[in-house]
Amino acid sequence: MIKKENFQRLAARRSGALHPWRYITGAAGRGAAFGRVKRLAVWLLYEYMARTYLQADWTTMNYGYATLQGGNGRTVVDPAIPERLSLQLYMRIATSGARGGAWDGLDVLEIGSGRGGGAAYLAHRLAPRRLVGLDISAAATALARRRHGSVPPLEYRQGDAEALPFGVETFDLVLNVESAHCYTSIPRFLAEVHRVLRPGGELLFVDFVSRQNGAFVGLQEIFATSPLALVSLDEITDNVVPSLAADEARKRALLDRWVKGPFKSFARGAYAMDGTAMRRALQSGETVYLAAVLRKVVAA
């Protein structure tokens, strides 16, 4: 007879093996064919969510960033803002480049802007000359425009991260927040970023990746061989995991209020909520959360 605790462990392993996080993080391996399927599935998912869930209190879709004792005060967001932890992740990466938070006069592109809350917050707080939020989902782009407006310096456009609809040397900074794990080809994405950045411009990048099946090592190799020079690569999992715990109640209330049926289980996993495969992977270190700065080096 199988003991209850053994059954629970078996069920947890089965849940982890079947959950989409394994494929999104690279834990189940990578391949070009799967990358194309993943890209299509992600596009359909975000189109569905933007058309179905129009709530004004849901404007960001990342795991957040908890500022630990002795951390950088520039990342802190007003505690009265419900999505402050997700916005702190934006501030963590937005202030990590050579320019810090000094965005005055800069042209900035966010690739994977989703529902638009992060771009809107940065446009208000850091006041760049121009900030374009780009997303592959037409529905998410339209929702962002309705929620946040699309007037200078803030603009939302629909487009593909791997075929950017911009000319050569258009931007000073490019942000990519928890989005690249959805792409078919990260090397193609980096080549496009290199094309649209001005000399000396930087890509400010945050995302998660599995240590299993060589996914983490593979990403490091991609960065090393990119046309962009890797300036820094930091693991910030210790900031992301407590953020998930601190934001658990808010996210649970959001799902309980708005999300019904089978999609609710998927949403819990995608949100890395307590007890899910993704939360366990981050807590154990099987999946790590990274912050990187890559620069377009000025030719001699």
Side-chain angles (χ1 to χ4, degrees):
M1 185 174 181
I2 300 177
K3 293 183 178 181
K4 181 179 179 181
E5 57 269 25
N6 292 337
F7 177 80
Q8 289 173 335
R9 282 196 294 270
L10 180 63
R13 284 198 297 270
R14 181 177 181 274
S15 173
L18 296 177
H19 198 277
W21 78 267
R22 288 180 53 79
Y23 304 93
I24 291 173
T25 64
R30 295 171 180 263
F34 176 73
R36 289 190 289 272
V37 173
K38 177 180 66 174
R39 185 73 161 153
L40 175 61
V42 167
W43 174 73
L44 291 171
L45 173 65
Y46 284 102
E47 283 284 304
Y48 166 77
M49 289 193 297
R51 294 179 188 279
T52 306
Y53 302 107
L54 308 177
Q55 289 73 26
D57 54 349
W58 182 18
T59 72
T60 60
M61 298 180 67
N62 66 63
Y63 290 171
Y65 181 88
T67 302
L68 306 180
Q69 188 173 6
N72 186 347
R74 292 182 301 177
T75 67
V76 175
V77 172
D78 183 352
I81 298 176
E83 293 180 282
R84 70 178 185 88
L85 291 166
S86 291
L87 295 175
Q88 283 183 178
L89 183 63
Y90 270 91
M91 287 300 298
R92 164 61 177 82
I93 193 60
T95 59
S96 64
R99 296 171 176 85
W103 281 20
D104 183 54
L106 298 185
D107 296 317
V108 181
L109 169 66
E110 183 192 358
I111 300 175
S113 54
R115 301 167 76 91
Y121 182 80
L122 294 179
H124 172 74
R125 180 160 172 178
L126 300 182
R129 176 169 59 191
R130 181 189 185 201
L131 200 162
V132 180
L134 183 88
D135 200 88
I136 195 170
S137 167
T141 302
L143 179 62
R145 287 174 181 153
R146 291 197 301 271
R147 288 282 176 240
H148 311 290
S150 191
V151 295
L154 183 62
E155 174 187 350
Y156 293 101
R157 292 184 59 175
Q158 190 273 335
D160 189 341
E162 298 169 53
L164 296 174
F166 305 105
V168 174
E169 298 183 1
T170 306
F171 296 98
D172 301 294
L173 292 176
V174 173
L175 269 72
N176 192 242
V177 177
E178 207 171 294
S179 179
H181 62 269
C182 299
Y183 301 164
T184 303
S185 170
I186 293 179
R188 188 158 59 238
F189 156 68
L190 294 174
E192 279 292 277
V193 171
H194 181 270
R195 183 180 65 80
V196 302
L197 274 176
R198 293 173 180 139
E202 292 177 329
L203 167 64
L204 312 178
F205 173 101
V206 285
D207 211 342
F208 49 75
V209 65
S210 177
R211 291 190 185 275
Q212 297 180 309
N213 287 314
F216 180 29
V217 173
L219 181 60
Q220 290 177 300
E221 291 173 350
I222 288 172
F223 284 157
T225 57
S226 164
L228 299 165
L230 182 62
V231 176
S232 64
L233 181 63
D234 301 318
E235 184 180 335
I236 59 171
T237 315
D238 287 346
N239 299 89
V240 172
V241 170
S243 169
L244 288 168
D247 216 15
E248 177 85 14
R250 183 187 70 86
K251 289 177 178 176
R252 189 175 297 278
L254 189 69
L255 293 181
D256 287 346
R257 183 179 181 187
W258 299 113
V259 183
K260 309 298 180 185
F263 186 73
K264 187 172 182 178
S265 176
F266 174 84
R268 289 187 69 255
Y271 254 153
M273 297 184 73
D274 188 38
T276 62
M278 187 61 166
R279 178 75 74 87
R280 290 195 299 270
L282 286 164
Q283 289 171 330
S284 69
E286 289 180 5
T287 293
V288 295
Y289 207 107
L290 303 174
V293 176
L294 298 97
R295 183 175 300 149
K296 183 171 181 175
V297 177
V298 179

